[in-house]
Amino acid sequence: MRILLVEDDADLADVVALGLRNESYAVDHAATRAAAEELLVATTYDVACLDLGLPDGDGLELLRRLGGDSVLRRPRRTLVLTARDAVDDRVAGLDAGADDYLVKPFHFAELVARLRALGRRADEAGSTLRVGELGLDQAAHRAWRGDAELRLTAREFSLLRYFMHHPGEVLSAEDLLDHVWDVNADPFTTSVRVILSRLRRKLGQPPLIETVTGAGYRLRAAP
């Protein structure tokens, strides 16, 4: 999943972002409401983790704006992370459109578990993808070719899922960086090529992901 972390406490944001990246999530960080809105104009996130006490405005207003503003791309799910622990605050956050509410301080393991649960909820309506011999269950985090299950890392799984959402389309390396990695990914590194090479090996023969010279890569249905 690609996550937007909106948190003005720099130390907390660094710790949470590092932990989530170690769990193979792609994480973009915004310390202000304005910075979050700038990112939300350009990117659709799987989950937004939103602090309510921001230096340039109340996070609740941003949450409400996500529900009706056509300029901002609404995340698939929203998780409020805040020190506000009163029942009225929880009700206000959920009524404003949050899918979950986690009070600080929190255990990192609980945050990850809640993100997994939100991911399952986001995927459950159309959990299984199929392209030719390939199958992928987004909620169960399983993928297979024919009768053979594929043993994929989290990044390989995310990459395959993105290809399977766009079968037959030519996807550039920049497309893959934008949707499977985060804004900290260096576009001049070989990370896309390395992960893609590993994924191709695991998919087996005949090859399913082909290189389109000068343009990018394309997933085709198996013959």
Side-chain angles (χ1 to χ4, degrees), residues 35 55 57 60 63 71 74 99 142 151 168 179 188 200:
L60 274 179
L63 192 55
V71 175
R74 183 179 178 87
D99 296 288
R142 295 177 54 244
R151 303 181 69 84
H179 291 90
F188 300 104
R200 280 170 151 168

Side-chain angles (χ1 to χ4, degrees), residues 44-152:
T44 301
Y45 290 94
D46 294 295
V47 179
C49 295
L50 177 62
D51 187 16
L52 297 184
L54 299 173
D56 57 346
D58 195 320
L60 274 179
E61 290 305 315
L62 174 57
L63 192 55
R64 294 188 184 103
R65 189 180 173 196
L66 288 173
D69 194 318
S70 61
V71 175
L72 302 182
R73 301 187 181 187
R74 183 179 178 87
R76 299 171 74 191
R77 291 287 184 264
T78 305
L79 169 63
V80 168
L81 293 175
T82 182
R84 301 179 189 176
D85 61 354
V87 172
D88 287 348
D89 292 320
R90 295 171 188 260
V91 171
L94 295 170
D95 282 348
D99 296 288
D100 201 355
Y101 196 104
L102 183 59
V103 175
K104 303 174 186 175
F106 53 83
H107 290 286
F108 182 74
E110 182 180 2
L111 171 61
V112 173
R114 287 174 181 257
L115 289 173
R116 285 197 300 265
L118 288 174
R120 288 193 296 270
R121 285 166 59 186
D123 288 334
E124 63 187 5
S127 177
T128 302
L129 304 175
R130 294 189 182 277
V131 178
E133 291 183 322
L134 283 176
L136 184 144
D137 188 329
Q138 301 177 100
H141 211 275
R142 295 177 54 244
W144 58 92
R145 180 176 183 176
D147 296 326
E149 183 139 0
L150 303 172
R151 303 181 69 84
L152 304 178

Side-chain angles (χ1 to χ4, degrees), residues 134 152-164 169-177 180-181 189-205 207-213 215-220:
L134 283 176
L152 304 178
T153 66
R155 187 75 73 191
E156 292 162 358
F157 184 89
S158 296
L159 187 58
L160 178 60
R161 178 172 59 183
Y162 188 64
F163 271 112
M164 291 181 70
E169 297 181 30
V170 177
L171 305 175
S172 68
E174 290 77 14
D175 289 330
L176 300 178
L177 276 171
V180 182
W181 280 259
T189 68
T190 61
S191 59
V192 170
R193 184 169 56 81
V194 170
I195 301 298
L196 185 57
S197 177
R198 291 200 324 230
L199 176 60
R200 280 170 151 168
R201 283 200 306 272
K202 292 182 178 182
L203 290 178
Q205 296 295 325
L208 297 181
I209 298 175
E210 57 190 10
T211 300
V212 180
T213 304
Y217 309 94
R218 176 168 52 210
L219 174 67
R220 61 183 181 83

